[in-house]
Amino acid sequence: MQETTPQQWAIAIHGGAGAMTPETMDAAAVAVHEAGLSAALEAGEAVLRTGGSAVAAVAAAVAVLEDDPHFNAGRGAVFTYHGTNELDAAIMDGASRAAGAVSGLTRIRNPVQLARTVMEAGPHVFLSGAGAEEFAADHGIDPIDPAWFATPERLRQLEELKAQKSGWFDAGLKYGTVGAVARDQAGHVAAATSTGGLTGKRWGRIGDSPLIGAGTYADDRAAAVSCTGSGEQFIRAGVAHEICARIRLGGQGAQAATDAVLAEVGAMGGVGGIIVVTPAGETVFALTTPGMFRARSDSTGRREVAIFALD
Ligand code: ASP
């Protein structure tokens, strides 16, 4: 009989859902994205392996992806219609259901760090724009030159979008968002999500990523969830909270609940991907796009990095 190792910790991350396929991504791009995912997973694993909290693990993993210019969060974020980078992030602790969120940041290197500071040191849950950056300064987080976020490739993508004159923003969802969910050795779960939003966004548009209950949610009684995809539909479906509610009240398994809610998003015309971890350490991936940058590992030795839907 095969022996089973008790699950002590588990982590899953994503680097965004999108239109990537084996035909449209060359080997070098695959390698660079897989290396980035692996590095982020390692940062989260290092926290969990040494008994750190799920909150610290998701913050560490997301910060690595924010600093990696290949993912749409922090450095390498997509451009707004006006050629700026505006960053959103959220984090939630499933043990206490404490949460922190920030939006419209232009000068904070690691938005997830600021979201965590809002959660742990502030009286509020959600801060935006100049006020959020003032809160950062009050808490010792120094602003940086916005040029840090800008990459030539993202600028090219904005110019391409504008040349197409096809719509208000990039509804084609090519570039993703980043997120992490984790279960620590104490049995607590946490979730974090960080994004530059959608290429060409304007009018102060904010997606689902920093909205507690839409793109990010964690509850020790159910699961931790981080989403990527068509933010408008994810907001309307209240995706992350809805998945937790179905697990907690509806008795659905994590995979079934996630698939069902993503199908509801689909019925509204949205696509995307979701990562989930339960307090038992089960990790779940679901996606309705051709790809989602993703990875997961746990204390049993399981480790996976994947990009395309059929991997
Ligand atoms: N959900 C993000 C947003 O709407 C975008 C993405 O995940 O690609 O801001």
Side-chain angles (χ1 to χ4, degrees), residues 14 16-17 72 88 173-178 195-198 201 205-210 227-232 234:
H14 70 79
N72 172 22
D88 306 330
L173 272 182
K174 294 188 209 63
Y175 315 120
T177 276
V178 311
T195 189
L198 298 178
K201 67 182 183 180
R205 180 264 183 194
I206 298 165
D208 61 311
S209 310
C227 304
T228 168
S230 344
E232 279 63 20
F234 276 72

Side-chain angles (χ1 to χ4, degrees), residues 4-18:
T4 53
T5 317
Q7 191 111 314
Q8 290 167 332
W9 56 263
I11 181 167
I13 64 172
H14 70 79

Side-chain angles (χ1 to χ4, degrees), residues 113-131:
Q113 182 198 2
L114 182 56
R116 187 178 177 188
T117 306
V118 170
M119 174 172 82
E120 292 176 347
H124 304 301
V125 168
F126 198 167
L127 302 180
S128 69

Side-chain angles (χ1 to χ4, degrees), residues 23-36:
E23 292 71 42
T24 56
M25 265 189 100
D26 61 27
V30 168
V32 92
H33 284 87
E34 286 185 348

Side-chain angles (χ1 to χ4, degrees), residues 16-21 171-174 228-230 234 262 270-274 286-294 307-310:
M20 52 277 189
T21 64
L173 272 182
K174 294 188 209 63
T228 168
S230 344
F234 276 72
L262 193 52
V271 293
I274 304 173
L287 60 152
T288 50
T289 43
M292 176 169 73
F293 298 113
R294 61 195 185 277
I307 298 178
F308 306 115
L310 295 177

